[in-house]
Amino acid sequence: MKRHLRLFALYFAQYTKVRLAYKGDFLIAFFSSMVATVLGFGFVWVLFSKIPKLQGWSFYEILFLYAFSITPLGLFNVVSWNLYEFGEQYIIQAKFDRVLLRPVSTLFQVLFERFRLESFQEVVTGLGVIYICIIKLNLKWHVSDAMWFAVMVVCGFLIYLSVFLSLTAVSFWFEDRVGIVPPVFNMLTFGRYPLTIYNDFIQFMLSWIVPFGFASFYPTTHFLGRQSFRTYFYLTPLVAIAFFTLAVAVWNRGVLNYSSTGS
Amino acid sequence: MTSAPLALPSLPTRNRSAAAQQALVYAEFVRVGFINTLAYRLRYYTGIVTYFIYVSVYYFIWKAIYAHSQRIEGFDFGQILTYIAVGWMIRSFYYNNIDQDLAEQVVEGKLAMDLIKPVNVQAMYLARALGESAFRLILLTLPTVIILFTVYPLRPPRSVVHFLAFFLSSSLSFFIVAGINFAVGTLAIRLKSILGLLRAKYFLLELFSGLLIPISFFPHAFQAAFAYMPFQYISYIPVLIYLGKLNGVFILRALGIQFFWVVALISLGDGMWRWSSRRITIQGG
């Protein structure tokens, strides 16, 4: 564990140096990425200029939910770069051979070989918007709330990671992905609005199959003082750990199945 | 696999006048764009699911909103649902990745290959994108239209004339998007990595084109500013024509402005290319 932490620090420092070699380039990426994130809020903002509430949720409550969904997602985006290109880069081009030669966990290497540094702005933007919402909604937060908040952000991160890690691991069996990731990625949008507006099927799916609800909606209801989903709130860490364990198991099973393309 | 029946015959290029020969060259790029996309056709099957998910999210949002109101900004629920669904349908056709393609060519140093071809680079990119869109029309737009009309209570176009005008209008949308994408893509030549910029452009187009929410829902200051920008002519205007919210001379006027933007953006792209291509650095290659 200690060794992995040290390695993580080294990987991170190394990659940061690579990225910052072109400072202007990085700044443009950072700020344009921030503009993109802020534009993402545009729909909610325009919508609420015409309507007072969405199923009992006010503008700042929806904003809180939306911001909460992108905060752990930002953390995930920082490390997910290689997941998207895993099939192409590591399997088809057989970069995975090199990964296997090193005495460090394969998953660790694949996740931390590259970082999408500009995605840290999503975390910053998300937290900033949540802070504004807390003030506007006049929420009284105790230290324990802040601690739960941190726990929930980590859980959300683990849930996003688990879902996409499982999908990525599929490329160990089927080299030519049919592109199952984009539709699931787009399901993230469901998590940005109250789960209760959807029909039962979608609510079930977002809770127990692709548990994005646990990464945004259920935690948010608690922080906004809505008590109807209390049980789900406290279940969140369990769901996150369960799905993460499952994803790692699928990954490890996949690694055993790996055979090099031999190039 | 069975790509042969869909592959268009290769076109003979000898014994033609210069202009016809030029046209044939670009027709060949259209064909190449079509065939290249064919190689990735599996992705388009999941693309249908993706578009279905997009529309479904907004279906539930608007359904919750219209539980308490009959009309908002002149739209009843059936109209807003049709507005959103038709918007995504035409997006499945007009969408292209010219900007990303250009950026990739720059990063991988392959731009040199574009430069040595005796063709207009912008026309080549547009032609390939047109081939890709022709492909999308058959294998993405058509199934998406069928599924969405089956699942959701969508309205048909206001009339045959409205439909024809809508068809023409959304074809012009393709050229507006392609024009914007090429112009933005040329920025990669000077800025190198523009993926962040492209992401910002992506969200800007989604919002300002009216794809997510009708332009008439925006605050007035925004609407006034949008009148001088090409974005609403990508999605908002074609769908208003479909719904019959634009009529007669106003349709003609809208098509005229769309055409103006096509010409303006393609000229802009041409200028940007000339400006940037003087400073090309080829990385390796």
Side-chain angles (χ1 to χ4, degrees), chain B residues 89-100:
Chain B
M89 286 174 200
I90 60 171
R91 182 185 188 267
S92 70
F93 161 75
Y94 66 63
Y95 184 85
N96 64 59
N97 282 325
I98 294 179
D99 47 356
Q100 275 179 43

Side-chain angles (χ1 to χ4, degrees), chain B residues 5-6 8 65 82 101 103 106 119 133 158 160 176 205 207 225 239 270 283:
Chain B
L6 275 167
L8 309 174
I65 291 167
T82 308
D101 289 346
V106 171
V119 293
S133 278
R158 183 65 169 271
V160 177
I176 295 178
L205 282 194
L207 190 61
V239 184
D270 191 57
Q283 328 219 3

Side-chain angles (χ1 to χ4, degrees), chain A residues 158-180:
Chain A
L158 281 179
I159 288 170
Y160 292 137
L161 183 62
S162 310
V163 169
F164 291 103
L165 187 60
S166 312
L167 292 178
T168 303
V170 169
S171 15
F172 282 117
W173 287 277
F174 308 102
E175 279 173 21
D176 187 15
R177 289 189 320 187
V178 288
I180 192 168

